[in-house]
Amino acid sequence: MKNVVWLNVALAAGLTTPAIGQDFPLEIPHKFGTAVIPAEPARVATVDGNGADNILALGLQPATIEVWYGGYENGLWPWAAPLLTTEPVLLERGVLDFEAIAKSNPDVILSLYNAMTPEEYQKLTQIAPVVAVPEGRSDWSLTWDERAYLTGLASGNLAQAEAEISEIHDQISQIASRNPDWAGKTALIGWISRGGELGVYSSADARQQLLEQFGFVTPAEIDALDPEGEASVTISRERIDLMDVDLLIWIDGDGDVSPILDLDVRAFIKPHTEGREVIFTKEVTGALSYGSLLSMPFALGRMEAAIASALDGDPATHADDRPDNW
């Protein structure tokens, strides 16, 4: 008989369910329908910019890699690149190239962190079973551990995925335990787009959720601006007060922090005037954005010291990526 895994229950349970569901055929329900995977996949494709990380972490070789950003060979950042031993089909960022995906000859396709229409989903299912986000979840809302769980489940490697998830949760718990004074403080992750838009992430975003796991709180005013759970909130410069939190982390994926430095309204918020800002540039920003079994340990290794320095009461101390003119 087919083993039906009710993901909404398993994920809500904190990913503590035993490694059930690894007998194939396997059914995985999601917001577009149900992925029926007839046998343990030998070739796992992903249409997510960060999806190859988790496939590699589980000892598999990705059939496809979407080249998201960063300029690295094969679209893989330093924490993942050494694990690639094959030549996957490379996909352009944000483009569902059905012909290229079909050429990769996948047994299953993962779409866990990617915008996809019902029409695109139907086209992909003509190539292989497609695992999308669960019912009731937005395209970008799955946490790092949910994506890892689903990758392990769909690929037949759930036990290994759960073990690696548990290790990272232990790291996060240890950081929170070492810093009990973080609990209850408000925190946000801010950004300025290439087009000059100013924004932050709501609690629907995996990066913000990580701060919450450390004990920080997302301001209710921010979540109120994101009723659909789209994760990203654009704010006007006139509402810079929304960023007046106990800890403000700026991320920048290009290494050019001049738009942040040139943001004159920063002078009106206490995180800036009291030295409670953290700046992360390319690699830590990338690790947080990828949110994978491989990138999370990389990010965690840098975050604790940077946050602790920002909140130590001394504006002169820092342990982040700020330039000399910050």
Side-chain angles (χ1 to χ4, degrees):
M1 294 180 62
K2 294 178 180 178
N3 193 337
V4 180
V5 180
W6 297 105
L7 292 175
N8 55 340
V9 176
L11 299 180
L15 307 180
T16 58
T17 56
I20 61 173
Q22 295 300 275
D23 292 332
F24 290 84
L26 174 66
E27 293 186 4
I28 304 180
H30 53 76
K31 72 176 186 176
F32 293 118
T34 300
V36 180
I37 307 172
E40 183 171 337
R43 294 183 58 76
V44 181
T46 174
V47 294
D48 304 323
N50 56 4
D53 274 24
N54 284 334
I55 296 171
L56 287 165
L58 297 177
L60 304 173
Q61 292 295 304
T64 60
I65 295 178
E66 181 187 300
V67 181
W68 188 5
Y69 79 103
Y72 293 104
E73 185 178 2
N74 294 315
L76 295 177
W77 288 54
W79 51 79
L83 298 179
L84 184 70
T85 60
T86 59
E87 296 183 3
V89 171
L90 300 182
L91 305 175
E92 183 181 346
R93 174 178 175 173
V95 177
L96 283 174
D97 188 333
F98 301 103
E99 183 177 352
I101 296 168
K103 286 182 179 178
S104 75
N105 194 30
D107 297 313
V108 66
I109 301 170
L110 305 181
S111 180
L112 306 175
Y113 202 62
N114 175 61
M116 183 171 59
T117 67
E119 293 76 20
E120 290 170 330
Y121 165 74
Q122 290 298 333
K123 289 183 179 179
L124 281 179
T125 59
Q126 296 175 29
I127 301 171
V130 178
V131 180
V133 302
E135 182 70 35
R137 301 295 294 273
S138 66
D139 294 323
W140 309 100
S141 69
L142 291 188
T143 62
W144 67 267
D145 42 10
E146 289 172 329
R147 295 194 303 271
Y149 179 95
L150 285 168
T151 301
L153 178 65
S155 67
N157 292 274
L158 182 56
Q160 182 177 349
E162 288 190 314
E164 295 187 27
I165 289 169
S166 180
E167 288 180 7
I168 296 173
H169 273 299
D170 286 346
Q171 287 182 266
I172 294 171
S173 295
Q174 290 167 16
I175 291 174
S177 296
R178 286 193 294 266
N179 300 279
D181 55 311
W182 293 359
K185 284 184 166 61
T186 54
L188 285 172
I189 298 175
W191 48 266
I192 298 180
S193 72
R194 292 183 180 88
E197 288 185 319
L198 175 65
V200 295
Y201 294 109
S202 73
S203 60
D205 183 81
R207 287 156 287 206
Q208 187 67 24
Q209 290 160 4
L210 176 60
L211 294 184
E212 293 177 350
Q213 289 177 296
F214 287 156
F216 292 104
V217 175
T218 303
E221 296 87 348
I222 296 300
D223 280 344
L225 296 175
D226 187 27
E228 301 300 320
E230 296 298 322
S232 186
V233 176
T234 302
I235 62 176
S236 68
R237 281 156 173 73
E238 290 75 21
R239 291 307 317 274
I240 191 68
D241 60 288
L242 292 170
M243 301 178 76
D244 204 348
V245 289
D246 295 314
L247 173 71
L248 179 58
I249 298 177
W250 292 100
I251 59 172
D252 175 81
D254 296 327
D256 178 14
V257 300
S258 58
I260 304 171
L261 290 170
D262 295 340
L263 183 64
D264 53 2
V265 291
R266 280 173 64 228
F268 299 106
I269 56 173
K270 290 181 180 178
H272 174 62
T273 60
E274 297 181 2
R276 290 186 274 106
E277 291 175 303
V278 170
I279 175 67
F280 288 130
T281 54
K282 185 173 181 176
E283 288 194 343
V284 178
T285 297
L288 288 171
S289 298
Y290 270 66
S292 71
L293 293 171
L294 298 177
S295 74
M296 288 297 294
F298 183 96
L300 292 172
R302 290 287 315 280
M303 293 185 73
E304 182 176 10
I307 294 173
S309 292
L311 298 180
D312 66 359
D314 183 355
T317 59
H318 60 84
D320 55 14
D321 298 335
R322 69 186 61 196
D324 293 337
N325 61 335
W326 181 257

